[in-house]
mmCIF file of all heavy atoms in Angstrom:
data_model
loop_
_atom_site.group_PDB
_atom_site.id
_atom_site.type_symbol
_atom_site.label_atom_id
_atom_site.label_comp_id
_atom_site.label_asym_id
_atom_site.label_seq_id
_atom_site.Cartn_x
_atom_site.Cartn_y
_atom_site.Cartn_z
ATOM 1 N N PRO A 24 -10.429 9.870 -10.295
ATOM 2 C CA PRO A 24 -9.079 9.439 -10.730
ATOM 3 C C PRO A 24 -8.633 10.186 -11.930
ATOM 4 O O PRO A 24 -7.388 10.414 -12.103
ATOM 5 C CB PRO A 24 -9.387 7.943 -11.084
ATOM 6 C CG PRO A 24 -10.579 7.525 -10.196
ATOM 7 C CD PRO A 24 -11.376 8.739 -10.123
ATOM 8 N N GLY A 25 -9.484 10.576 -12.870
ATOM 9 C CA GLY A 25 -9.099 11.300 -14.066
ATOM 10 C C GLY A 25 -8.428 12.629 -13.751
ATOM 11 O O GLY A 25 -7.556 13.084 -14.246
ATOM 12 N N LYS A 26 -9.076 13.329 -12.679
ATOM 13 C CA LYS A 26 -8.556 14.617 -12.263
ATOM 14 C C LYS A 26 -7.134 14.430 -11.643
ATOM 15 O O LYS A 26 -6.274 15.280 -11.723
ATOM 16 C CB LYS A 26 -9.571 15.364 -11.405
ATOM 17 C CG LYS A 26 -10.758 15.855 -12.173
ATOM 18 C CD LYS A 26 -11.702 16.606 -11.269
ATOM 19 C CE LYS A 26 -12.875 17.049 -12.070
ATOM 20 N NZ LYS A 26 -13.816 17.731 -11.281
ATOM 21 N N ILE A 27 -7.017 13.375 -10.836
ATOM 22 C CA ILE A 27 -5.783 13.176 -10.127
ATOM 23 C C ILE A 27 -4.757 12.829 -11.083
ATOM 24 O O ILE A 27 -3.610 13.347 -11.049
ATOM 25 C CB ILE A 27 -5.920 11.959 -9.093
ATOM 26 C CG1 ILE A 27 -7.019 12.372 -8.035
ATOM 27 C CG2 ILE A 27 -4.636 11.673 -8.431
ATOM 28 C CD1 ILE A 27 -7.439 11.156 -7.170
ATOM 29 N N ALA A 28 -5.022 11.956 -12.068
ATOM 30 C CA ALA A 28 -4.058 11.499 -13.071
ATOM 31 C C ALA A 28 -3.511 12.715 -13.931
ATOM 32 O O ALA A 28 -2.376 12.659 -14.335
ATOM 33 C CB ALA A 28 -4.657 10.453 -13.959
ATOM 34 N N ALA A 29 -4.331 13.736 -14.077
ATOM 35 C CA ALA A 29 -3.882 14.922 -14.819
ATOM 36 C C ALA A 29 -2.702 15.563 -14.099
ATOM 37 O O ALA A 29 -1.804 16.133 -14.738
ATOM 38 C CB ALA A 29 -4.977 15.874 -15.003
ATOM 39 N N ALA A 30 -2.613 15.398 -12.820
ATOM 40 C CA ALA A 30 -1.512 16.022 -12.053
ATOM 41 C C ALA A 30 -0.483 14.996 -11.582
ATOM 42 O O ALA A 30 0.762 15.285 -11.558
ATOM 43 C CB ALA A 30 -2.084 16.676 -10.793
ATOM 44 N N ILE A 31 -0.986 13.779 -11.249
ATOM 45 C CA ILE A 31 -0.007 12.756 -10.709
ATOM 46 C C ILE A 31 -0.357 11.446 -11.397
ATOM 47 O O ILE A 31 -1.269 10.729 -11.002
ATOM 48 C CB ILE A 31 -0.107 12.624 -9.203
ATOM 49 C CG1 ILE A 31 -0.012 13.857 -8.514
ATOM 50 C CG2 ILE A 31 0.894 11.592 -8.684
ATOM 51 C CD1 ILE A 31 -0.365 13.845 -7.086
ATOM 52 N N ASP A 32 0.293 11.103 -12.486
ATOM 53 C CA ASP A 32 0.060 9.829 -13.217
ATOM 54 C C ASP A 32 0.806 8.705 -12.624
ATOM 55 O O ASP A 32 1.993 8.908 -12.232
ATOM 56 C CB ASP A 32 0.258 9.978 -14.643
ATOM 57 C CG ASP A 32 -0.471 8.918 -15.496
ATOM 58 O OD1 ASP A 32 -1.370 8.270 -14.960
ATOM 59 O OD2 ASP A 32 -0.047 8.744 -16.625
ATOM 60 N N ARG A 44 -7.713 5.029 -6.083
ATOM 61 C CA ARG A 44 -7.083 6.307 -5.635
ATOM 62 C C ARG A 44 -8.179 7.193 -4.987
ATOM 63 O O ARG A 44 -9.207 7.510 -5.716
ATOM 64 C CB ARG A 44 -6.520 7.133 -6.843
ATOM 65 C CG ARG A 44 -5.470 6.426 -7.584
ATOM 66 C CD ARG A 44 -4.874 7.240 -8.664
ATOM 67 N NE ARG A 44 -3.642 7.840 -8.221
ATOM 68 C CZ ARG A 44 -2.838 8.548 -9.022
ATOM 69 N NH1 ARG A 44 -3.203 8.735 -10.276
ATOM 70 N NH2 ARG A 44 -1.781 9.111 -8.503
#
Side-chain angles (χ1 to χ4, degrees):
K26 289 183 179 179
I27 299 168
I31 308 167
D32 198 16
R44 299 180 98 173

